[in-house]
């Protein structure tokens, strides 16, 4: 079954049929909201809105462990995370799509592992390639089939938020090699790897990052939501193609 984590601008997943809400508890507390179980194009999916009902949970307060655990407990082996991001690379402007292949983590103070003290022996997962390559390739194929151009790689910088970055911070992220910046990619990706999920992200660029392009002077937060909402139809088209490529 495909698990879908909805981000900003994808509050609901239209097109899911026979949807049932399932409120669950995990050993790590409650996920952001009820899981939505249904079918998309006849294939089973489980959907979870990362920011909760009404988009009320900020990135640094999301219970990432509960979210990933809940999807795993529903037997979602494959997970696609929808992520609204700022574009650092000049060609990644508002409305662009990307399937990142690398991550740099700048977050802090987030619980970032299931392997906490007292929960078994010290464990270090491999994270050389943070995203599941087969899911990345399926996402790229799905985007092509949906007629959406998506950058086939990119380094995602995960920042703490909830504020946007300064222009100098974006300069630093760029020198570090980042192409996209968002606030929720970590620890989500690492937790998915810890549970053995095949996880990749579909990034939707909703603004030029601070100090770049049209965001040279300032970023108007209300515009991010508008761009994300405008992209929702294309996101859904990609997901409809993806479920048909999804292995199980
Ligand atoms: N920075 C961080 N996170 C974001 C941005 C940004 O510019 N846009 C959307 N999410």
């Amino acid at each position: 079954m495909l698990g879908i984590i909805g981000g900003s601008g994808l509050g609901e997943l239209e097109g899911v049929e026979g949807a049932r809400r399932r409120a669950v508890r995990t050993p790590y507390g409650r996920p952001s909201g009820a899981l939505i179980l249904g079918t998309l194009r006849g294939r089973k999916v489980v959907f979870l809105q990362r920011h909760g009902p009404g988009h009320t949970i900020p990135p640094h307060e999301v219970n990432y462990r509960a979210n990933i655990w809940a999807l795993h407990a529903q037997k979602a082996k494959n997970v696609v995370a929808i992520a609204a991001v700022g574009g650092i690379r000049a060609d990644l402007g508002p409305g662009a799509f990307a399937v990142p292949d690398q991550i740099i983590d700048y977050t802090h103070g987030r619980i970032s592992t299931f392997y906490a003290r007292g929960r078994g022996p010290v464990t270090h997962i491999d994270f050389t390639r943070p995203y599941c390559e087969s899911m990345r390739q399926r996402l790229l194929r799905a985007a092509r089939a949906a007629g959406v151009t998506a950058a086939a790689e990119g380094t995602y910088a995960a920042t703490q938020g909830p504020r946007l970055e300064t222009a100098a911070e974006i300069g630093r992220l760029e020198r570090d090699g980042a192409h996209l910046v968002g606030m929720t990619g970590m620890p989500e990706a690492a937790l998915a790897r810890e549970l053995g999920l095949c996880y990749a992200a579909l990034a939707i660029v909703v603004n030029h990052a601070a100090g770049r392009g049209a965001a040279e002077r300032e970023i108007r937060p209300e515009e991010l939501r508008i761009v994300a909402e405008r992209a929702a139809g294309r996101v859904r088209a990609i997901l409809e193609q993806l479920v048909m490529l999804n292995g199980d």
Side-chain angles (χ1 to χ4, degrees), residues 84-86 159 164-165 181-183 206-210 219 224:
V85 300
T159 57
L164 294 161
E165 298 72 34
V181 56
M183 300 175 190
V206 292
N207 59 286
H208 284 288
I219 297 173
L224 312 196

Side-chain angles (χ1 to χ4, degrees), residues 33-220:
L35 300 171
I36 310 293
L37 291 132
T39 59
L40 186 62
R41 290 279 180 115
R43 311 287 168 99
K44 276 196 199 170
V45 294
V46 52
F47 177 77
L48 176 62
Q49 167 49 246
R50 184 189 288 119
H51 297 287
H55 205 270
T56 48
I57 308 172
H60 62 291
E61 291 182 32
V62 170
N63 188 341
Y64 294 97
R65 288 202 299 186
N67 287 355
I68 292 294
W69 187 272
L71 293 175
H72 179 253
Q74 294 298 319
K75 310 267 185 285
K77 290 199 180 65
N78 298 283
V79 175
V80 56
I82 313 297
V85 300
I88 300 175
R89 211 168 67 197
D91 62 311
L92 295 172
F97 281 68
V99 180
D101 65 333
Q102 277 295 335
I103 297 175
I104 304 177
D105 187 7
Y106 300 92
T107 66
H108 49 84
R110 302 183 182 189
I111 301 173
S112 56
T113 181
F114 290 109
Y115 293 112
R117 191 170 167 181
R119 295 198 187 250
V122 175
T123 303
H124 306 286
I125 54 158
D126 171 66
F127 209 43
T128 311
R129 298 185 194 286
Y131 297 109
C132 178
E133 189 58 25
S134 69
M135 174 58 87
R136 272 187 13 86
Q137 292 305 328
R138 266 175 281 162
L139 264 173
L140 289 167
R141 250 191 290 155
R144 271 196 299 275
V148 178
T149 304
E153 52 221 5
T155 297
Y156 175 109
T159 57
Q160 177 70 358
R163 67 166 176 85
L164 294 161
E165 298 72 34
T166 67
E169 285 169 338
I170 293 299
R172 173 193 170 203
L173 300 189
E174 185 171 45
R175 287 191 298 280
D176 282 355
H179 308 115
L180 306 158
V181 56
M183 300 175 190
T184 56
M186 286 294 285
E188 198 173 85
L191 293 165
R193 176 63 55 84
E194 284 190 350
L195 294 189
L197 301 177
C198 183
Y199 169 104
L202 176 64
I204 302 127
V205 180
V206 292
N207 59 286
H208 284 288
R212 304 296 146 114
E216 192 184 349
R217 298 183 62 78
E218 63 171 331
I219 297 173
R220 293 212 211 95

